[in-house]
Amino acid sequence: MQENYLILAIVAVIAIVIISLFIVVANLQKTVVIETIPSQVEQEKARKIAIEAMVEIAAKRNSTRNDLTNAILQVAKACPFPEKQKGMTPKIAKVYLNFVLLVASHRNADAKLIAFMDEELKKANPEYKHEIDIYENEGINQRGKRI
């Protein structure tokens, strides 16, 4: 009689372990990992903060040539200009174009740096070639006048 209880207890323990493992495996398969993708608005906000920081670097009179070069690379890679809407430049693009003007008019910017900026920004933003040229020329014209 005791042998039957012992066998029954062993079978019950094995059944409980198998059922527990089955439940754990089933729950692992149901686990869903939700990745939060930054929304368009959050990306725009981060990009706006980045371009504004680069504009501040270009606006400082004591920014070095290396600072300006790094800012140009950052704008070309991380801050693409906003898309034109029906062929028209949106208002937010003024900040980006102001960056071009400030770099072109900066006292530590030489012809090589301005040419580098021109090439990099036009590569990254081909639809803004004309506007980049206009703001670059305006900045070059303001070089002696900028305080």
Side-chain angles (χ1 to χ4, degrees):
M1 197 68 161
Q2 280 187 348
E3 292 175 7
N4 288 341
Y5 287 123
L6 185 60
I7 293 174
L8 190 60
I10 293 173
V11 170
V13 168
I14 291 173
I16 291 173
V17 169
I18 290 174
I19 291 172
S20 298
L21 286 175
F22 178 74
I23 291 172
V24 168
V25 170
N27 283 336
L28 286 176
Q29 290 176 350
K30 290 181 183 177
T31 303
V32 178
V33 176
I34 299 174
E35 292 183 26
T36 56
I37 300 172
S39 69
Q40 182 96 9
V41 174
E42 290 173 349
Q43 289 175 346
E44 274 300 315
K45 193 181 237 184
R47 193 181 320 164
K48 186 176 179 186
I49 291 170
I51 187 64
E52 288 174 357
M54 298 302 113
V55 168
E56 285 180 29
I57 290 171
K60 288 181 186 173
R61 298 297 290 156
N62 59 355
S63 294
T64 65
R65 188 175 192 284
N66 286 338
D67 293 338
L68 295 173
T69 303
N70 291 334
I72 291 167
L73 288 171
Q74 186 72 22
V75 169
K77 290 185 173 122
C79 304
F81 288 26
E83 290 187 26
K84 288 187 174 181
Q85 299 163 348
K86 298 179 183 175
M88 300 295 292
T89 306
K91 288 183 180 182
I92 187 89
K94 186 82 169 169
V95 177
Y96 295 82
L97 295 170
N98 192 32
F99 173 79
V100 174
L101 178 88
L102 288 169
V103 171
S105 66
H106 200 280
R107 68 179 181 179
N108 289 331
D110 57 4
K112 285 183 180 181
L113 183 68
I114 294 171
F116 173 72
M117 175 184 66
D118 184 61
E119 180 183 331
E120 290 297 314
L121 292 181
K122 284 182 179 177
K123 246 193 304 188
N125 308 290
E127 63 182 9
Y128 279 93
K129 285 181 179 181
H130 181 68
E131 289 83 357
I132 290 170
D133 283 337
I134 291 171
Y135 278 80
E136 179 184 314
N137 288 331
E138 183 63 30
I140 292 170
N141 291 335
Q142 290 181 5
R143 284 180 71 85
K145 302 171 192 170
R146 187 169 170 205
I147 298 171

